[in-house]
Amino acid sequence: MKKIVKQDQDVIKQHNKLMILDIIKNKRPISRAEITKITRMSATSIGRFVSELCEEGVIRETELTSSGVGRKAIMLDIEPGALYTIGVDIEKKRISFGIMDFSETIVAHHRVEHKALAGTPAETAALICQEIRGMIARQGIPFEKVIGIGIGVPGVINYERGVVQLSSTLGWKDVAFAELIEKELGIKTVIDNDLKVKILSEYLYGSAKGSNKTALIGIGTGIGSALIINGEVFRGGSNSAGELGHTTLDPNGNLCECGKRGCLQTYIDENALILEARRVKEVTDVREVFAAARNGERWAKEIVSRTALYIGITINNIVCMYNPDTVILSGDLVENYREIVELVEEHSDQVIWEPFKGKFRVIPSELRGEAIVMGAGALAMQHFAPLSGSWSGE
Amino acid sequence: MKKIVKQDQDVIKQHNKLMILDIIKNKRPISRAEITKITRMSATSIGRFVSELCEEGVIRETELTSSGVGRKAIMLDIEPGALYTIGVDIEKKRISFGIMDFSETIVAHHRVEHKALAGTPAETAALICQEIRGMIARQGIPFEKVIGIGIGVPGVINYERGVVQLSSTLGWKDVAFAELIEKELGIKTVIDNDLKVKILSEYLYGSAKGSNKTALIGIGTGIGSALIINGEVFRGGSNSAGELGHTTLDPNGNLCECGKRGCLQTYIDENALILEARRVKEVTDVREVFAAARNGERWAKEIVSRTALYIGITINNIVCMYNPDTVILSGDLVENYREIVELVEEHSDQVIWEPFKGKFRVIPSELRGEAIVMGAGALAMQHFAPLSGSWSGE
């Protein structure tokens, strides 16, 4: 529940002004008259707020545009160059960057190879800062217009304190990573779990647009999940909700890297496929398994089918626990081998609990490789841009 | 995100007045001066709002009470008899009732036997209405002061429409139950899943007081769970989040009554214990199993230990998915046989994922049998009492 808020005139004014900015951002281009209609505030108030926002350089008037029955109206739009954020996606072997403008368009992309496990977090931070400086300079953006950096990191993240508590992918433990970046660049930084960033991205720009109760399952070198409800990422008590990969299927089952037995990810992630395949053939990656399956080799078809069955179970378990209307399948395993998604559908009648059948849809990730960069940029926008966040459509 | 709200004077006045009522309800008894301090509003405004609330009969002045250094102040308290709600708990074989006053005290209890499976939902509704009428009359409460009824029902509930979608415990499917009660009594009625009502109750009055991210696991004739975050019950897309019992452990495992294989509840609920015991001895209920275990019989000890292991797994899976700070164990199996809770603790090192160890506590339900009646009364209070809900402590 909300804390007590004394509502006085200054607070209301600021609230209303930022709300108008939100409306312009969401419905651009838009006329003063339309804003008046939406807000039911006086035309005079709207005029005053709009003038202030223009003077501050965050919105601008665009050319005359016809609106309705032949009349012309001056339209308002946000100024895309008013401010920028940087979105960063740290993976095991590469780091991706994007510069996002105020219209939430990625205006510059960049990617570098690195080996997280071979260096220290400080070295990774230094590399990121160097690349960000370079990008901003190449783009000719005034440094002070970059208001924030968002970073998606695989692992358990203390979102409020900006700390990577545990990332087995990167080999990090208790690293105050946001602070490392902020100190070096002097730009406010927010970090979050990669799948939480990804689902925000799919909600804002991708396949979850318009769905308000969406779960995302990430299947690759590990297994994870995330949930977004009415635009709010579900975090749990310490931002660690969604650790699907370490839910237990069988107390006497496969040994997991975490030391526990029977974790879901030991039945379903890429490593599980490879280990299973090695009972038959000395494979080195999942590509070989899928190639053999496409080639009709029975052992490989069996492994792919079993993986699809377990993905189906995973969907059932997510739906039972979170009750979403949409489930997004993402991650290398499902994005690179779409045949597995078809097999999952075939199994679904068998594995989905009856009352949930037909109550949700399963869709593949739409943004794929770009999702985290975009989501991280958006996260920084939500955190650091001057918006009220109180208006999100009619 | 919130929808657009135009903030005008009338709305603010009403908001502030209800906020003051909330403050009095939460911090009673309290003086006008203390309210002035908390709200930072003027003493004149507070005086006016307090007078209005007194006239409306929802608050009252109490006797002089010493406050601080020898001074006397007139204290304000809510009027417990200003309004009432009724809390109802429908179980398979009995229905429990409570009348809750405005101070959220249960002032009258009542319980009747019934056989849900032997009758129709309409018959159960008629029985409930008759018993509620009797209770109100016996208590001498003016009928119009009963502002709402809350009902906890085991099953999948459409909370917004007041419909029992599926209750295998009661044998109901697609029953517009809230409407049945409302039409007969003319009192607004809200229904919800029993475990969601229970966790609200534990949050407001029981073992989850002060914890803001609490999960509850119910283990009895079936398995379910619920989650409450900052006082908000987590509902998912269609109020069916938490259907833990039908998450799948093993696609080739035990057949469940739902028709699916390997559902968690087939390993852990009372029926699972009985079926497992019957491999050895023709038992009729779990009491016999626990009696044999207490008696040192090895087969029974083995079953109890295995159940504790699976409860441990269930806790791990809940924690991985919801990341709560507190897990409440409730339901007949853990409430009646506390020795199983000790065994769960012994298993926890083995079954809890490392990063979550020590990050949450496991506690037994405190309210036990009364929880649902109290929670249902509180639910009706939240829905139908004139409170702003915007103040919940400093």
Side-chain angles (χ1 to χ4, degrees), chain B residues 243-283:
Chain B
E243 285 291 355
L244 185 63
H246 297 282
T247 57
T248 301
L249 293 191
D250 181 356
N252 306 309
N254 303 330
L255 193 61
C256 180
E257 57 170 25
C258 77
K260 198 160 70 68
R261 281 206 176 272
C263 292
L264 172 63
Q265 70 177 27
T266 68
Y267 294 87
I268 195 182
D269 74 354
E270 292 189 358
N271 201 37
L273 260 77
I274 292 168
L275 288 176
E276 190 75 1
R278 283 184 183 163
R279 293 173 192 272
V280 177
K281 196 177 171 183
E282 196 50 43
V283 301

Side-chain angles (χ1 to χ4, degrees), chain B residues 23-24 27-32 34-35 38 74-76:
Chain B
I23 291 171
I24 295 170
K27 299 190 71 96
R28 63 210 156 85
I30 185 170
S31 68
R32 286 173 176 80
E34 285 172 275
I35 300 174
I38 291 173
I74 294 168
M75 302 300 275
L76 301 165

